[in-house]
């Protein structure tokens, strides 16, 4: 599946804000073949064990009902839409800017003519090696590092980073819309835990909808960016706890405290390193993370949402893990892929679906 971009200026972190061939488009000059987009960042230090662990719980009872495959699709929202894709790239609209970025999943040819792709404000170029960073090219004029964006009624800052992303993963709109709806209709303030919360857009969406949010990320830069986003939207009074800590350490401590949450979002990287050297490996540590997340779900929980990038696996892998984790809890586990539908230059003309990530979501009914 898709390899997700590294996030700016940070070590690989287990609580971190947790991605090509482009030489045959008509009318565009040949460019070097690049390897698939980078996993967030590569852990280069010698591995050390996760600092705190506990055995997995023994679960009994029936596994939840399953709903597969589920394709959650977005045509865009607010200031974002996918214009076109192909030849290992994607052409996107982020507010006033038209942007080209590498996209290994775009195996087909672009639908739109070359002159549409040439009229861009920014294009990510340079080193696209998995362990390296790259640079942005600005064909029209030099642009500032940041610019304002809005999704689902929340203001935040886009940013041209050296790891090809811009501060938001718009395929997550489908999860955020679902969470927003749950919070608005709950009739009580839902407690939301956002693990690997990154730049805080999901946390702001949840809090604006009436939820009480705990946002966890091990990157100080990501937490700082999230606070900038909160200030931009004049949302300082919203009930959000910003916590800079290793995600696994945090939830294990919450379990010991008896803390509970109604919705948990978790968006872990493939590899990660916490602020004190804690190491995260998705295939090794995801079962324990989900196990602990189940223990801190409230009796009236609304959902547990897992998104997985940068892994070579079927969605069935995380689907069956989620069903085992939630054995005896009832409800439904629905799993599949998140996709973004091309929307053309007008943002309203549906085209091909671009796969972005795997997901699995448990809901009580």
């Amino acid at each position: 599946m898709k390899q997700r971009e590294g996030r700016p200026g940070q070590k690989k972190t287990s609580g971190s804000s947790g991605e090509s061939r482009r030489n045959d488009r008509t009318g565009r000059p040949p460019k070097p073949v690049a390897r698939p987009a980078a996993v967030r960042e590569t852990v280069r230090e010698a591995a050390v064990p996760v600092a705190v662990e506990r055995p997995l719980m023994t679960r009994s009872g029936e596994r939840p009902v399953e709903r597969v495959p589920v394709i959650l699709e977005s045509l865009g929202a607010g200031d974002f839409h996918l214009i076109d894709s192909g030849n290992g790239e994607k052409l996107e609209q982020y507010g006033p800017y038209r942007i080209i970025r590498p996209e290994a999943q775009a195996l087909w040819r672009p639908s739109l003519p070359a002159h549409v792709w040439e009229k861009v404000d920014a294009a990510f170029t340079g080193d696209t090696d998995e362990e390296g960073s790259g640079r942005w090219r600005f064909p029209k004029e030099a642009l500032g590092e940041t610019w304002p964006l809005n999704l689902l009624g929340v203001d935040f800052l886009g940013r041209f980073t050296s790891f090809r992303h811009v501060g938001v993963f718009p395929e997550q709109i489908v999860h955020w819309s679902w969470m927003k709806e749950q919070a608005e209709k709950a009739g009580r303030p839902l407690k939301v835990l956002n693990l690997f919360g990154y730049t805080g857009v999901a946390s702001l969406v949840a809090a604006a909808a009436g939820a009480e949010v705990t946002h966890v990320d091990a990157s100080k830069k990501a937490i700082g960016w999230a606070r900038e986003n909160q200030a931009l939207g004049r949302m300082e009074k919203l009930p959000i706890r910003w916590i800079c800590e290793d995600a696994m350490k945090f939830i294990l401590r919450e379990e010991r405290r008896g803390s509970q949450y109604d919705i948990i979002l978790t968006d872990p990287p493939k590899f990660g390193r916490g602020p004190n050297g804690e190491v995260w490996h998705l295939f090794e540590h995801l079962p324990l993370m989900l196990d602990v997340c189940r223990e801190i779900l409230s009796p009236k929980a609304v959902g547990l949402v897992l998104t997985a990038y940068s892994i070579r696996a079927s969605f069935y892998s995380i689907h069956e893990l989620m069903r085992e984790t939630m054995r005896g809890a009832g409800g439904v586990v629905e799993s599949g892929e998140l996709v973004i539908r091309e929307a053309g230059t007008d943002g309203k003309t549906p085209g091909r679906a671009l796969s972005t990530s795997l997901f699995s979501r448990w809901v009580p009914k």
Side-chain angles (χ1 to χ4, degrees):
M1 292 306 299
K2 176 176 180 180
Q3 296 198 330
R4 185 174 185 171
E5 296 111 317
R7 292 175 173 174
Q10 66 180 50
K11 297 178 181 178
K12 275 299 272 190
T13 60
S14 66
S16 75
S17 33
E19 230 215 63
S20 324
R21 312 172 229 302
R22 32 186 196 173
N23 60 355
D24 58 341
R25 180 175 298 117
T26 302
R28 300 192 70 205
K31 296 182 181 179
V33 173
R35 300 196 319 188
V39 176
R40 299 182 178 184
E41 288 184 58
T42 301
V43 178
R44 303 184 187 185
E45 302 92 338
V48 297
V50 170
V52 184
E53 293 190 3
R54 67 149 172 79
L56 292 174
M57 296 284 188
T58 301
R59 306 291 180 186
S60 61
E62 296 295 321
R63 296 193 298 168
V65 173
E66 63 179 335
R67 188 178 298 137
V68 289
V70 176
I71 306 300
L72 296 182
E73 176 183 313
S74 170
L75 191 64
D79 288 342
F80 166 81
H81 70 269
L82 175 65
I83 300 171
D84 193 16
S85 61
N87 290 345
E89 293 181 316
K90 54 189 174 184
L91 178 63
E92 305 165 291
Q93 191 76 41
Y94 281 97
Y97 298 147
R98 186 174 293 183
I99 293 171
I100 293 176
R101 295 191 292 161
E103 178 46 73
Q105 300 278 34
L107 303 176
W108 44 83
R109 292 182 178 181
S111 295
L112 299 177
H115 70 81
V116 176
W117 285 74
E118 291 165 357
K119 294 178 181 178
V120 297
D121 299 285
F124 188 86
T125 62
D127 185 1
T128 55
D129 185 86
E130 289 188 4
E131 297 184 16
S133 59
R135 58 185 178 272
W136 289 90
R137 176 174 59 87
F138 303 107
K140 296 179 180 178
E141 60 181 339
L143 300 177
E145 182 187 5
T146 65
W147 73 100
L149 290 169
N150 183 284
L151 286 179
L152 300 180
V154 168
D155 294 319
F156 63 99
L157 291 173
R159 180 175 265 119
F160 294 112
T161 75
S162 62
F163 288 92
R164 68 182 52 80
H165 68 95
V166 296
V168 64
F169 294 92
E171 60 271 16
Q172 297 278 350
I173 290 169
V174 288
H175 287 325
W176 302 343
S177 297
W178 168 83
M179 177 180 60
K180 183 175 185 287
E181 179 184 357
Q182 301 306 312
E184 289 174 343
K185 72 180 185 182
R188 62 187 174 94
L190 296 182
K191 293 187 67 177
V192 172
L193 174 60
N194 187 12
L195 295 173
F196 311 94
Y198 190 33
T199 59
V201 181
S203 296
L204 292 169
V205 168
E212 298 174 358
V213 182
T214 300
H215 173 110
V216 181
D217 198 292
S219 166
K220 291 182 180 179
K221 282 195 172 184
I223 294 289
W225 191 344
R227 287 184 176 276
E228 283 185 77
N229 289 336
Q230 184 181 29
L232 180 68
R234 298 179 181 177
M235 294 180 170
E236 292 92 340
K237 294 183 179 180
L238 290 180
I240 304 175
R241 290 195 299 158
W242 303 105
I243 297 176
C244 185
E245 187 173 0
D246 176 77
M248 186 72 86
K249 271 189 173 180
F250 177 80
I251 61 173
L252 285 165
R253 188 171 65 251
E254 290 292 87
E255 182 185 29
R256 293 192 297 270
R257 289 174 172 172
S259 300
Q260 294 183 327
Y261 297 90
D262 300 301
I263 294 177
I264 300 177
L265 304 178
T266 181
D267 181 20
K270 181 179 179 181
F271 300 110
R273 186 175 291 278
N276 296 310
E278 305 91 344
V279 167
W280 165 271
H281 293 290
L282 185 76
F283 286 103
E284 295 177 27
H285 301 130
L286 184 60
L288 177 59
M289 171 161 282
L290 286 184
D291 198 53
V292 178
C293 284
R294 173 173 174 175
E295 291 303 300
I296 60 176
L297 282 173
S298 74
K300 296 182 179 180
V302 175
L304 169 59
V305 180
L306 166 68
T307 307
Y309 294 80
S310 307
I311 65 174
R312 301 185 182 210
S314 163
F315 72 84
Y316 265 109
S317 301
I318 60 175
H319 173 71
E320 296 294 7
L321 174 60
M322 183 71 82
R323 290 187 76 207
E324 286 297 325
T325 300
M326 301 307 295
R327 184 183 286 273
V332 178
V333 171
E334 51 190 17
S335 307
E337 296 192 22
L338 302 183
V339 304
I340 296 178
R341 181 76 58 179
E342 294 171 346
T345 55
D346 61 0
K348 300 176 182 178
T349 306
R352 296 161 300 202
L354 181 66
S355 175
T356 63
S357 59
L358 312 178
F359 84 93
S360 186
R361 178 169 69 189
W362 173 84
V363 292
K365 59 182 179 179

